[in-house]
């Protein structure tokens, strides 16, 4: 059995790397497990661009160091407001951050289980011995939570896929592809398919597509800036609240938080994509998918028009660009008993969290998409890492101080955790 770490961070995307940077700076013995920037490097097609502004796409390090602009400056690249950056540049920035922000070397291990162990946790991986940890931060990103329309689930696997399952879209050249969805992933995937020689068609329930407008200049007359403030999630007061006041969102009633997380900042395409999309991609808007049937190596989609008339779309492949649905039940790496014991938001599928991102199981912290129903829509974006990292690490420090020495043994057979699944007097959900 290896040493007991103060904190094991599971996931090495923007949230995991940011948490690790703050933890290392706080003097914690921290270990990071996961493939660095995996979602960005492995699950986004070549040719995609970062939708958010460079100044709102920073990973978080103490003192605001190691920004995306800092990385771009090392390459002589501009990181300018209103100029989208390639996804590849952002991925490389994450790797650069991991090397320069003071965190330990990331271990590319696949975590298979997080289970209670003594007064802490035991983290098992696909390779190597189990790793004891006093606290754990789950920053697993979005990939465990891919969402598909129910109508696709009876299709053979080769007939459909998720937009996050493609790095190279050239395999679809000269083939018809139905892209389902109306957000940035759907619109950009469809445009890239067309540019790769495929014949895409966008199918969306929405009667029209929403497009972001060209961003206003950072320097504006004071009255205009007051009316429509900039924020990490866009322009306007509503976006500013979601971006800058996640702590206030957490204080709202659970049903309100869940509704905000599900509906705020709805599907929209980037302004710089609109011309590319509209010139190349036909659309079926206001069409609802009812059934999908395999017909040999092709797929037939049964749709309904806005007028209620049936339409059949015959296509070679279906790509669901239908986003991600956070749900603890799909987090298979969590011990089932631990997972079932967690308090959830409104009794739903996401963990109820303290102001410092600690769950009802002391020492277990969450970051990223699963925290959106607690802290709001900024947790769905890179920008939320700046709010999360420092607060979560302060929560870890508080938990370690309250817990004292680890009581479990180091032979892999630690005792059952006393009071597992219940809030005691030191539970963050009672003490804050």
């Amino acid at each position: 059995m290896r040493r007991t770490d103060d904190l094991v961070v599971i996931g090495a995307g923007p949230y995991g790397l940011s948490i690790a940077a703050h933890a290392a700076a706080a003097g914690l013995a921290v270990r990071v497990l996961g493939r660095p920037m995996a979602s960005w490097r492995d699950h986004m097609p070549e040719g995609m661009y970062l939708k958010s502004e460079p100044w709102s796409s920073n990973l978080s390090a103490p003192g605001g160091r190691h920004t995306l602009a800092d990385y771009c400056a090392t390459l002589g690249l501009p990181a300018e407001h209103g100029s989208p950056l390639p996804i590849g540049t952002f991925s490389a920035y994450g790797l650069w951050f991991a090397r320069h922000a003071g965190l330990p070397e990331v271990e590319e291990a696949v975590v298979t289980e997080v289970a209670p162990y003594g007064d802490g946790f035991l983290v098992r991986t696909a390779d190597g011995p189990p790793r004891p940890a006093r606290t754990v931060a789950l920053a697993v990103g979005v990939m465990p939570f891919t969402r598909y329309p129910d109508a696709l689930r009876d299709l053979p696997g080769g007939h459909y896929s998720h937009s996050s399952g493609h790095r190279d879209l050239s395999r679809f050249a000269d083939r018809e592809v139905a892209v389902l969805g109306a957000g940035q992933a759907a619109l950009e995937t469809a445009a890239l398919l067309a540019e790769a020689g495929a014949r895409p068609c966008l199918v969306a329930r929405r009667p029209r597509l929403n497009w972001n407008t060209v961003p206003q200049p950072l320097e504006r007359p004071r009255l205009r800036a007051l009316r429509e403030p900039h924020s990490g999630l866009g322009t306007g007061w509503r976006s500013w609240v979601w971006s800058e006041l996640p702590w206030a969102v957490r204080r709202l009633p659970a049903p309100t938080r869940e509704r905000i997380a599900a509906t705020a900042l709805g599907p929209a395409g980037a302004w710089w994509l609109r011309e590319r999309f509209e010139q190349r991609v036909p659309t079926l808007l206001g069409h609802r998918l009812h059934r999908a049937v395999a017909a040999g190596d092709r797929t037939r989609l049964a749709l309904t028009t806005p007028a209620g008339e049936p339409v059949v779309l015959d296509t070679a492949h279906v790509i669901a660009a239908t986003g991600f649905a956070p749900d603890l039940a799909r987090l298979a790496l969590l011990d089932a008993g631990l997972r079932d014991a967690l308090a959830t938001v409104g009794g739903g599928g996401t963990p109820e969290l303290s102001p410092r991102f600690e769950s009802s199981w002391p020492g277990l912290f969450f970051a990223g998409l699963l925290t959106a129903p607690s802290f709001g829509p900024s947790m769905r974006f890179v920008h939320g890492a700046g709010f999360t990292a420092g607060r979560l690490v302060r929560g870890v420090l508080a938990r370690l101080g309250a817990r004292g020495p680890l009581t479990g043994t180091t032979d892999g057979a630690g005792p059952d955790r006393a009071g597992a699944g219940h809030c005691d007097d030191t539970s963050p959900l009672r003490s804050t």
Side-chain angles (χ1 to χ4, degrees), residues 184-344:
Q184 176 70 8
L187 301 172
E188 194 168 9
T189 297
L192 289 170
L193 282 165
E195 292 164 359
R199 297 189 293 277
C201 175
L202 186 91
V203 181
R205 292 178 300 175
R206 291 176 174 265
R208 65 182 182 86
L209 299 176
N210 294 326
W211 295 97
N212 299 133
T213 58
V214 177
Q216 298 180 23
L218 288 177
E219 298 296 329
R220 297 170 292 161
R222 183 174 300 178
L223 181 58
R224 187 177 177 187
L226 182 62
R227 288 175 176 169
E228 296 183 282
H230 280 300
S231 77
L233 301 182
T235 304
W237 278 107
R238 182 169 297 184
S239 295
W240 186 88
V241 169
W242 306 147
S243 172
E244 307 305 321
L245 302 179
W247 58 268
V249 175
R250 185 191 164 275
R251 296 183 178 182
L252 297 173
T256 303
R257 285 186 273 134
E258 290 181 292
R259 185 177 68 254
I260 290 171
T263 61
L265 304 175
W271 62 273
W272 43 262
L273 178 65
R274 185 168 187 171
E275 184 176 354
R276 289 169 54 197
F277 176 88
E278 292 182 339
Q279 288 181 347
R280 306 283 300 267
V281 182
T283 61
L284 293 174
L285 302 180
H287 284 60
R288 293 186 172 271
L289 173 63
H290 296 284
R291 191 180 177 203
V293 179
D297 61 353
R298 297 183 67 80
T299 301
R300 291 174 183 165
L301 303 180
L303 309 171
T304 301
T305 70
E309 299 172 350
V311 170
V312 175
L313 178 64
D314 184 88
T315 188
H317 190 79
V318 181
I319 293 180
T322 43
F324 305 88
D327 185 356
L328 280 169
R330 298 179 65 184
L331 201 57
L333 61 82
L334 264 187
D335 171 81
L338 189 163
R339 184 174 61 241
D340 293 343
L342 292 175
T344 56

